[in-house]
């Protein structure tokens, strides 16, 4: 029986969720943030799950209208500030992947503060992908490693990436079947689950069902039974 220790989620469908309700797209992001909290809390209470990596803002998301980008930045900052006590209560450590240097000083400070305050939490790691793109992550790693004289090994490349942990289960909500530049190296042997559910409608019940199916999968990693 396998358990999904590292779950990664592409949280898609916020905009469509809001539009279906006749609301502005940003309302979908706001609802989406509530689901981030629900799913993180659920994972923090499940001892089989060590790490939850969430795609919150991609290197491509800068192409969205300025107001939506600004809203997402503010929402993230508000979320981190408000939820700090919940991180501590649930023993959740915050980590990030991606290049956050492009964010405002204030947001960078908030991220640093929550990371510092949760540094000793030893339960779930919630890793937020912020200004993250797998191609960007790999290029940054290669640029670090190019100073090496020896051949680059798999371990060396893996250690130079922002996310050093292979993904067991990758879920994408919102009905599309693509990886959108998310954790391409780390998901080499991930089980992929695509659901039509829009992220604000995603629930702990649906995650539980996905996890139940995952335990029945025989993972061979290219080998035989
Ligand atoms: C994709 O949906 C979602 C995003 C680009 C942002 C994800 C952000 C959140 C879930 C909320 C804030 C995050 C945290 C960690 C507090 P979309 O806008 O592309 O939806 P669409 O495909 O329906 O347009």
């Amino acid at each position: 029986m396998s358990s999904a220790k590292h779950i990664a989620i592409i949280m898609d469908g916020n905009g469509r969720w809001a539009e279906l309700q006749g609301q502005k797209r940003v309302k979908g992001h706001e609802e989406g943030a509530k689901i981030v909290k629900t799913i993180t809390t659920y994972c923090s209470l499940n001892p089989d799950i060590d790490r939850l990596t969430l795609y919150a803002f991609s290197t491509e998301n800068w192409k969205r209208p300025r107001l939506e980008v600004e809203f997402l930045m503010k929402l993230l900052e508000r979320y981190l500030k408000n939820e700090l006590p919940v991180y501590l209560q649930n023993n959740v450590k915050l980590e990030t992947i991606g290049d956050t240097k492009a964010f405002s000083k204030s947001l960078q400070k908030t991220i640093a503060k929550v990371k510092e305050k949760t540094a000793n939490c030893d339960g779930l790691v919630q890793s937020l992908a912020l200004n993250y793109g797998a191609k960007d992550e790999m290029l940054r790693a290669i640029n670090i490693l190019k100073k090496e004289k020896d051949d680059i090994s798999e371990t060396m490349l893996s250690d130079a990436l922002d996310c050093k942990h292979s993904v067991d289960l990758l879920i994408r909500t919102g009905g599309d079947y693509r990886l959108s530049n998310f954790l391409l190296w780390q998901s080499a042997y991930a089980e992929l689950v695509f659901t039509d559910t829009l992220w604000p409608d995603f629930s702990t019940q649906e995650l539980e069902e996905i996890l139940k199916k995952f335990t029945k999968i025989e993972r061979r990693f290219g080998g035989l039974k």
Side-chain angles (χ1 to χ4, degrees), residues 7-59:
I7 301 174
I9 309 184
I10 301 173
M11 310 180 285
D12 198 16
N14 292 348
R16 275 166 289 160
W17 181 90
E19 280 158 6
L20 280 170
Q21 326 242 341
Q23 310 234 36
K24 293 207 173 109
R25 291 178 50 80
V26 292
K27 177 72 183 155
H29 296 315
E30 204 158 279
E31 281 305 306
K34 293 182 192 162
I35 307 306
V36 168
K37 179 178 176 173
T38 308
I39 295 299
T40 303
T41 302
Y42 172 86
C43 291
S44 74
L45 297 172
N46 183 332
D48 290 335
I49 305 169
D50 296 337
R51 180 171 291 270
L52 175 67
T53 304
L54 300 171
Y55 209 2
F57 194 86
S58 76
T59 44

Side-chain angles (χ1 to χ4, degrees), residues 30-154:
E30 204 158 279
E31 281 305 306
K34 293 182 192 162
I35 307 306
V36 168
K37 179 178 176 173
T38 308
I39 295 299
T40 303
T41 302
Y42 172 86
C43 291
S44 74
L45 297 172
N46 183 332
D48 290 335
I49 305 169
D50 296 337
R51 180 171 291 270
L52 175 67
T53 304
L54 300 171
Y55 209 2
F57 194 86
S58 76
T59 44
E60 287 74 34
N61 285 151
W62 296 106
K63 293 182 209 150
R64 294 192 174 209
R66 186 178 56 86
L67 286 178
E68 184 170 339
V69 171
E70 278 175 15
F71 185 92
L72 280 166
M73 298 295 144
K74 281 197 192 121
L75 178 62
L76 185 62
E77 190 158 0
R78 179 155 43 96
Y79 180 89
L80 291 172
K81 280 183 178 159
N82 290 347
E83 299 307 322
L84 177 58
V86 182
Y87 278 89
L88 296 171
Q89 233 166 50
N90 294 332
N91 197 21
V92 175
K93 181 194 217 163
L94 174 72
E95 289 185 3
T96 60
I97 55 172
D99 186 2
T100 51
K101 287 195 297 289
F103 290 166
S104 71
K105 288 278 170 288
S106 160
L107 179 52
Q108 289 187 50
K109 234 168 103 180
T110 304
I111 293 168
K113 184 182 162 195
V114 178
K115 278 185 179 175
E116 188 197 312
K117 296 272 183 202
T118 61
N120 292 327
C121 293
D122 59 2
L124 179 79
V125 174
Q126 184 207 53
S127 174
L128 295 183
L130 299 173
N131 192 21
Y132 174 86
K135 287 184 176 180
D136 177 64
E137 176 190 41
M138 285 191 228
L139 280 176
R140 285 187 284 108
I142 289 163
N143 278 314
I144 295 168
L145 291 170
K146 72 180 178 191
K147 292 154 203 131
E148 291 285 339
K149 286 186 203 77
D150 298 330
D151 286 352
I152 309 301
S153 67
E154 189 173 318

